């Protein structure tokens, strides 16, 4: 089993996420959080999520615009403990 | 400054701005000033599809069984989409190619517009299947007042930029009189028109299709008009890429990563850009009102559709640096998402016939080394 990270979502959900277990979006879905998405492939921007603290890694390079302080949840995984707003 | 189809000056495209620099000469993609456009070209081409691959023959029977108000909703949406793609199949080329100055963006614009023509051709494919003679439907697009209202707003920023570019190309900067009217042509003025035009196109790609998409997928949720729905899924996927390109152009300007003068203009015209977006949102809501004036359809009504427009608008506006203006933060039509997921990721069984064409191509590229462990 690989290393897991704590991810705090919208200031209310505490998730333990294994980065080898799929995207941040999938982790939120497994936790029953209402998510925003369309393409699930990094090119529509619908899953845009604010990263308030911590780092993420992209598993697929996103095409959609990622503004500073944001990430695309469908194609990234946590690279440290995270605090995000989705 | 007149346009040359092959600029003879030695230029370094890596130092050119996206627009209004030296016109492009060599179409080279080994190096890119803004690599995003090269990536978008690749992605868009990988999405290639032909309307004829999608079997729409069953839709004819479904259509006959729709109520009159549902027929009105279905056909009106197709008319509106036909208008949008008629404009998009030509305008990026006519308005933007004469002023673009980096090769990867030039080719992206051509690729983008080409795919819009596929969309246009798919509407003919759908309509020819529903009606022996679809002429009435096409002819109404230029007469119908509700569609005209939108056409006016969609085309005017393009037309304005095109006209000013033509004046500039033939006369250069200065006061130019045409038919008794004086136009002040300056590079600043041209760039402002470009900025407003891209904002208007961005709003088009961002939200103008979504009321129609929602109606299409609401029919599909009832197992109706599924051929049409397959086509609209492919169109929606393409539209997302088009949107990525306009969002990128706007962000590159805003963050000062391209032409510094465009950064100033983006700040100066921020309110106007916001107004363009908000007007498009309003028009989409009015469109929902028009669609449902004879009655709604199962699974959808005007109110929920307007909430959906607000939900989408919030996302789209945040992507270009505006605050989300609407309260609607949760998705009022959760089932929409499954139609908007890219085929590459999850191919639903019913999509098999669409993908097979490309799958065949991929299969044929398997090399002997891939089969190393195979025993016959
Ligand atoms: S869902 Fe489209 S970019 Fe993430
Ligand atoms: Fe289109
Ligand atoms: Fe488009």
């Amino acid at each position: 089993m690989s290393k897991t990270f704590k991810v705090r979502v919208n200031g209310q959900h505490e998730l333990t996420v294994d980065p080898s277990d799929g995207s941040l979006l999938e982790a939120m879905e497994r936790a029953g959080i209402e998510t925003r998405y369309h393409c699930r492939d990094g090119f529509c921007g619908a899953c845009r999520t604010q990263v308030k603290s911590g780092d993420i890694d992209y598993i697929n390079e996103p095409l959609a615009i990622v503004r500073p302080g944001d990430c695309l949840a469908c194609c990234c995984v946590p690279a440290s403990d995270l605090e995000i707003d989705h | 400054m007149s346009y040359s189809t092959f600029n003879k000056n030695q230029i370094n495209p890596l130092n050119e701005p996206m627009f209004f620099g030296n016109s492009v000469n060599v179409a080279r993609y080994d190096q890119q000033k803004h690599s995003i456009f090269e990536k978008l070209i690749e992605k868009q081409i990988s999405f290639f599809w032909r309307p004829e691959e999608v079997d729409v023959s069953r839709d004819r029977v479904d259509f006959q069984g729709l109520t009159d108000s549902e027929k009105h909703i279905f056909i009106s949406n197709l008319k509106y989409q036909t208008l949008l793609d008629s404009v998009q199949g030509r305008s990026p080329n006519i308005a933007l190619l004469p002023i673009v100055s980096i090769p990867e963006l030039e080719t992206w614009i051509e690729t983008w517009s080409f795919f819009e023509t596929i969309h246009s051709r798919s509407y003919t494919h759908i309509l020819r299947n529903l009606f022996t003679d679809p002429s009435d439907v096409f002819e109404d697009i230029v007469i119908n007042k509700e569609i005209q209202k939108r056409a006016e707003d969609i085309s005017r920023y393009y037309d304005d930029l095109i006209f000013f570019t033509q004046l500039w190309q033939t006369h250069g900067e200065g006061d130019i009189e045409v038919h008794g009217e004086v136009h002040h042509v300056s590079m600043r003025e041209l760039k402002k028109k470009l900025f407003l035009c891209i904002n208007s196109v961005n709003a088009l790609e961002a939200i103008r299709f979504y009321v129609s998409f929602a109606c299409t997928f609401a029919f599909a949720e009832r197992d109706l008009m599924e051929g049409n729905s397959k086509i609209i899924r492919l169109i929606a996927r393409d539209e997302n890429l088009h949107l990525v390109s306009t969002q990128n152009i706007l962000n590159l300007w805003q963050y000062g990563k391209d032409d510094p003068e465009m950064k100033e203009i983006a700040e100066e015209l921020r309110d106007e850009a916001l107004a363009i977006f908000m007007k498009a949102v309003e028009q989409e809501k009015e469109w929902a009102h028009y669609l449902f004036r004879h009655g709604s359809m199962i699974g959808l009504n005007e109110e929920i559709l307007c909430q959906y427009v607000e939900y989408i608008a919030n996302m789209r506006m945040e992507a270009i640096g505006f605050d989300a203006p609407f309260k609607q933060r949760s998705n009022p039509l959760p089932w929409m998402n499954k139609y908007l997921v890219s085929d590459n990721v999850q191919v639903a069984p019913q999509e098999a016939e669409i993908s097979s064409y490309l799958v065949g191509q991929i299969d044929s590229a398997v090399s002997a080394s891939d089969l190393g462990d195979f025993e016959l």
Side-chain angles (χ1 to χ4, degrees), chain B residues 84-85 88 115-116 119-120 123 205 209 235 238-239 242:
Chain B
L84 294 175
D85 281 296
Q88 286 302 87
F115 272 78
E116 307 287 22
H119 302 173
S120 296
Y123 304 135
E205 300 281 359
F209 289 95
I235 290 178
D238 294 340
E239 298 308 348
H242 307 166

Side-chain angles (χ1 to χ4, degrees), chain B residues 46-70:
Chain B
S46 80
F47 285 173
F48 182 76
W49 58 282
R50 293 179 307 139
E52 298 76 17
E53 287 165 43
V54 182
D55 178 8
V56 291
S57 58
R58 270 195 43 208
D59 289 15
R60 194 183 182 113
V61 183
D62 290 348
F63 186 73
Q64 250 111 57
L66 298 184
T67 65
D68 283 348
S69 64
E70 287 173 336

Side-chain angles (χ1 to χ4, degrees), chain B residues 49 60 71 74 92 95 111 146 162 187 245 251 263 271 275 283 287 298 317 357:
Chain B
W49 58 282
R60 194 183 182 113
K71 281 183 183 157
F74 187 86
T111 309
E146 290 302 316
I162 291 166
M187 189 39 74
S245 76
N251 277 286
K263 182 173 194 248
D271 290 347
Q283 283 191 336
W287 182 250
I298 297 171
M317 293 180 76
Y357 172 74

